[in-house]
Amino acid sequence: MTDLALMSLRPAASRAGFRWRSLVGQAWRYGCLVVLLAVIVFPIYWLVLNSLKHQRDFFTGPPIYFTTDLTLSHWQEALGNPLNQKYLLNTAIVTAVSTVLATLAGTLCAYVLARIRLPFRLNRVLLISILIARLFPPVSLAIPYYLLMRQLGLLDTLPALVIAYTGLALPFVTWLMLTFFQDLPREIERAAMVDGCTMFQRFRWIVLPMSLSSMMVTAIFVFMGVWNELLYSLTLTSLSAKTIPVAIASFVGDNALAWGQMSALSIASFVPILLMALTVQRYLVRGITFGAVKG
Amino acid sequence: MVADFARDDRKVAMLFLLPGVGALLVTYLVPLAYSLGLSFSEWDIRKPGAQWVLSGFGNYTDLLTSEGFWRAGLRSLIFTLAALPIELVLGTMIALLLTSEMVSSKLSALTRVLMLVPLMLPPVVLGILWRLLLNVNYGPVNSLLGLVGLGPFTWAAAPDTAMATIVLVEVIANTSVVSMILIGGLLSLPPEPIRAAEVDGAGPWRILFEIKLPQLASYYLIIVLIRVMDLLKTFDFIYALTGGGPGDSTSMLNLFIYRVGQRFLDYPMASAASWVFLVALLPLSIWLLIKAVASSKDYLND
């Protein structure tokens, strides 16, 4: 009798306790989520607000958190400035050219490494070289690049940046494409080979069409990295070949109080990257981990 | 693996390799050889037209006895060792939060997309943005903290607090990397052992520490390797946020090398410093290489 009573009581009691605990757990989780969202969203809001505030509204204490008295003048000044237009164009050209070069050259390398057994254990030698290259801190190449480009008369030109960025991106492309080729079934290629297709024909007519989307994903990652790159551009350019990250960074020294223009130009350089990131969101983890995690 | 493709392909293969391997030689081997030579040289750039001449280990002994270099190295180490554990713990918590059944799935999906934003922010913009947010007099962070009676803090404006500020910004920007990788890992865990443990009466903490996290060990290894390499290389956002200052309080190895080379134009010394940096990174790189090559066995026809 008592046993029965206990048996009927116990689940009810524990269920009530569970419900209370889960409520606290839920409140705590949503609290954390709100903090997380605030830390992500507020800085972006602040950047947008700063790009639209009147100059007189920046240096107030406490700062103005919300106002409807906005202006587009910072945007007009930032984007109307012919120098900034030139820097944006430079960045676009350098990024596009080096992305295409690195993606093509790296894809060819990766295909050979994935499919052909080279003599002298070259597969392994090349793979290790590529990994070592990827691990390099770029700063260790910046000084020799600067001096070599000076000797070649390429300082402050777009080709200098294209060379540096193609080199920077190549190891990444090769490694990521290698992991994509690994996922590609070999049977079709094997069948084509039996039918007498040469390696070039197999690559051109079978592999390339199948891996176009992987190449796009890889290229987008490269594009984002090169677009944002600061160090090489800082080292190799001074006036005419400057890219947009250098232009933004130079606000700090030259025009430290132009917060509105600083913000407007920052947003202008961020939007293309963000749009690209959204298109490759599915592959982001793969790109970040260098293909180590398929995501 | 298998000799699946014909031997005649080797000529075409060499042709395929040519652009990539050529570019790697030009963009890595040539500058590295140049910088190695330079690091053993003297170069009086004040004399017009002077060229560098090999001079032995002078730059290395000067460098290794200079206090500035060691302080920069120590700062790199402090920055990395401070940011990494915070990113790991916070990243794990966020990943658990966003995969929790107690949070609405729409909201956590939205948060995952929003988490791309700090991650994709160009590092220079990140630096500029936090310059504005953490401005001592006119920034919103100090003003908001003031409302609850905290501060004002000096953030990046004073040598004592600059390093902590850099670490804070780094954590805010890159914890997403850790969370995103772990979210993938958590979602791919087999549900059976977790259900079994629940049935056996294991609490949520035990399930977390004894079932979920141990299964994610390989993910953590990759995260640690990637983060450490990237933390040691961090340059862009620090350049935009503090420029290595105030004084040299946030001048880590990268900035130290950059300053020696580009501001003081001491190219041989900067080259020597890059080589010491490279050699210091070697143990870590070799470890990463072993891991990567081991995981790539199936990628290669070797």
Side-chain angles (χ1 to χ4, degrees):
Chain A
M1 190 64 199
T2 42
D3 275 0
L4 264 178
L6 269 177
M7 272 173 75
S8 59
L9 267 174
R10 204 181 278 138
S14 73
R15 204 175 295 138
F18 179 74
R19 207 175 290 149
W20 186 78
R21 261 181 44 197
S22 88
L23 211 65
V24 171
Q26 209 161 19
W28 155 249
R29 279 177 177 80
Y30 277 98
C32 290
L33 203 61
V34 167
V35 173
L36 178 64
L37 285 172
V39 171
I40 295 171
V41 174
F42 181 75
I44 300 303
Y45 168 73
W46 195 250
L47 197 63
V48 175
L49 182 69
N50 266 344
S51 78
L52 299 171
K53 262 187 196 176
H54 286 283
Q55 187 67 23
R56 58 168 189 272
D57 288 344
F58 283 122
F59 307 103
T60 62
I64 295 169
Y65 291 100
F66 181 80
T67 169
T68 48
D69 185 13
L70 301 169
T71 168
L72 279 175
S73 64
H74 304 304
W75 281 91
Q76 281 159 358
E77 277 168 63
L79 297 182
N81 183 336
L83 279 178
N84 286 343
Q85 289 169 357
K86 185 174 173 190
Y87 300 152
L88 275 169
L89 187 67
N90 283 348
T91 316
I93 294 172
V94 167
T95 308
V97 175
S98 29
T99 301
V100 169
L101 289 179
T103 307
L104 290 179
T107 302
L108 288 173
C109 275
Y111 179 68
V112 172
L113 289 180
R115 292 289 191 268
I116 306 294
R117 189 200 299 248
L118 297 164
F120 313 117
R121 296 175 76 81
L122 261 181
N123 296 60
R124 178 149 307 207
V125 172
L126 282 174
L127 184 76
I128 292 178
S129 320
I130 284 164
L131 272 171
I132 292 180
R134 148 76 181 163
L135 299 180
F136 259 77
V139 74
S140 60
L141 293 173
I143 308 271
Y145 273 158
Y146 172 79
L147 296 169
L148 288 167
M149 298 295 179
R150 193 170 70 177
Q151 264 175 6
L152 296 171
L154 287 176
L155 271 192
D156 205 17
T157 65
L158 300 185
L161 288 178
V162 168
I163 293 171
Y165 289 150
T166 306
L168 185 70
L170 249 177
F172 174 81
V173 173
T174 311
W175 186 260
L176 200 60
M177 285 308 296
L178 192 61
T179 73
F180 277 124
F181 283 137
Q182 177 58 26
D183 295 345
L184 221 58
R186 292 156 181 241
E187 283 67 32
I188 310 174
E189 284 171 74
R190 226 170 265 161
M193 195 180 68
V194 171
D195 290 345
C197 268
T198 66
M199 178 176 151
F200 179 78
Q201 287 169 329
R202 293 198 304 270
F203 181 77
R204 172 66 189 85
W205 301 110
I206 300 171
V207 177
L208 207 56
M210 282 200 293
S211 42
L212 269 183
S213 63
S214 322
M215 285 173 75
M216 271 314 282
V217 171
T218 310
I220 288 175
F221 278 119
V222 172
F223 192 100
M224 296 192 290
V226 172
W227 181 274
N228 290 338
E229 208 280 341
L230 172 73
L231 179 62
Y232 288 160
S233 179
L234 206 57
T235 324
L236 299 178
T237 68
S238 46
L239 286 169
S240 55
K242 246 196 213 180
T243 59
I244 210 69
V246 180
I248 296 173
S250 64
F251 268 109
V252 172
D254 307 340
N255 211 349
L257 296 181
W259 288 3
Q261 281 188 55
M262 212 189 272
S263 309
L265 204 57
S266 294
I267 297 170
S269 85
F270 177 39
V271 170
I273 297 305
L274 187 64
L275 293 178
M276 290 190 160
L278 291 175
T279 63
V280 292
Q281 199 198 341
R282 201 156 68 81
Y283 298 94
L284 213 62
V285 167
R286 195 164 176 161
I288 291 168
T289 61
F290 214 37
V293 174
K294 299 248 165 80
Chain B
M1 193 184 277
V2 228
D4 21 16
F5 298 114
R7 288 183 143 259
D8 322 346
D9 289 340
R10 280 186 179 173
K11 276 181 201 149
V12 188
M14 290 302 173
L15 213 62
F16 272 32
L17 285 175
L18 196 64
V21 173
L24 283 176
L25 290 180
V26 170
T27 52
Y28 286 87
L29 223 51
V30 172
L32 279 178
Y34 188 85
S35 121
L36 190 63
L38 203 55
S39 74
F40 288 105
S41 307
E42 264 172 37
W43 190 357
D44 192 353
I45 51 146
R46 280 162 303 179
K47 280 190 211 141
Q51 281 306 311
W52 45 283
V53 280
L54 288 174
S55 70
F57 288 91
N59 294 315
Y60 286 95
T61 50
D62 284 357
L63 186 76
L64 294 173
T65 51
S66 89
E67 210 190 316
F69 175 75
W70 287 105
R71 281 219 307 264
L74 189 65
R75 278 188 213 107
S76 285
L77 210 61
I78 291 174
F79 172 71
T80 305
L81 293 180
L84 182 69
I86 305 177
E87 286 179 8
L88 286 177
V89 173
L90 268 181
T92 307
M93 287 168 63
I94 293 172
L96 288 171
L97 179 70
L98 295 182
T99 50
S100 162
E101 288 161 7
M102 287 196 225
V103 174
S104 101
S105 57
K106 272 182 194 159
L107 199 59
S108 58
L110 175 74
T111 314
R112 272 181 237 172
V113 176
L114 283 174
M115 270 169 38
L116 293 177
V117 173
L119 197 62
M120 289 301 127
L121 210 60
V124 174
V125 174
L126 180 79
I128 294 282
L129 172 58
W130 284 92
R131 247 182 129 85
L132 299 176
L133 289 166
L134 297 174
N135 184 293
V136 178
N137 298 315
Y138 306 111
V141 175
N142 263 359
S143 130
L144 289 173
L145 288 175
L147 293 179
V148 287
L150 293 172
F153 296 103
T154 50
W155 303 115
D160 310 341
T161 49
M163 178 59 94
T165 307
I166 295 283
V167 172
L168 176 79
V169 174
E170 159 63 35
V171 166
I172 291 177
N174 285 322
T175 298
S176 306
V177 175
V178 180
S179 322
M180 290 173 84
I181 298 174
L182 286 179
I183 287 173
L186 281 168
L187 292 178
S188 71
L189 287 183
E192 293 82 12
I194 299 169
R195 291 277 170 263
E198 275 171 357
V199 170
D200 289 348
W205 291 103
R206 260 193 92 183
I207 291 177
L208 177 63
F209 284 108
E210 290 179 23
I211 298 177
K212 286 185 181 168
L213 294 187
Q215 284 182 282
L216 293 175
S218 62
Y219 286 82
Y220 277 102
L221 182 69
I222 293 165
I223 293 170
V224 168
L225 292 171
I226 290 172
R227 288 312 304 144
V228 168
M229 294 307 299
D230 283 349
L231 283 167
L232 287 171
K233 283 193 226 169
T234 310
F235 175 86
D236 297 10
F237 95 84
I238 303 177
Y239 180 87
L241 180 56
T242 67
D248 60 355
S249 55
T250 53
S251 169
M252 292 163 221
L253 268 182
N254 294 295
L255 278 111
F256 175 86
I257 295 171
Y258 176 78
R259 277 187 176 186
V260 170
Q262 291 307 110
R263 199 163 306 162
F264 304 114
L265 306 181
D266 193 345
Y267 305 123
M269 185 67 92
S271 304
S274 335
W275 275 96
V276 175
F277 188 22
L278 282 179
V279 171
L281 283 178
L282 212 59
L284 195 69
S285 316
I286 290 175
W287 187 39
L288 184 58
L289 275 182
I290 293 170
K291 287 281 157 205
V293 172
S295 78
S296 73
K297 276 226 166 69
D298 43 332
Y299 295 145
L300 282 180
N301 284 313
D302 198 60

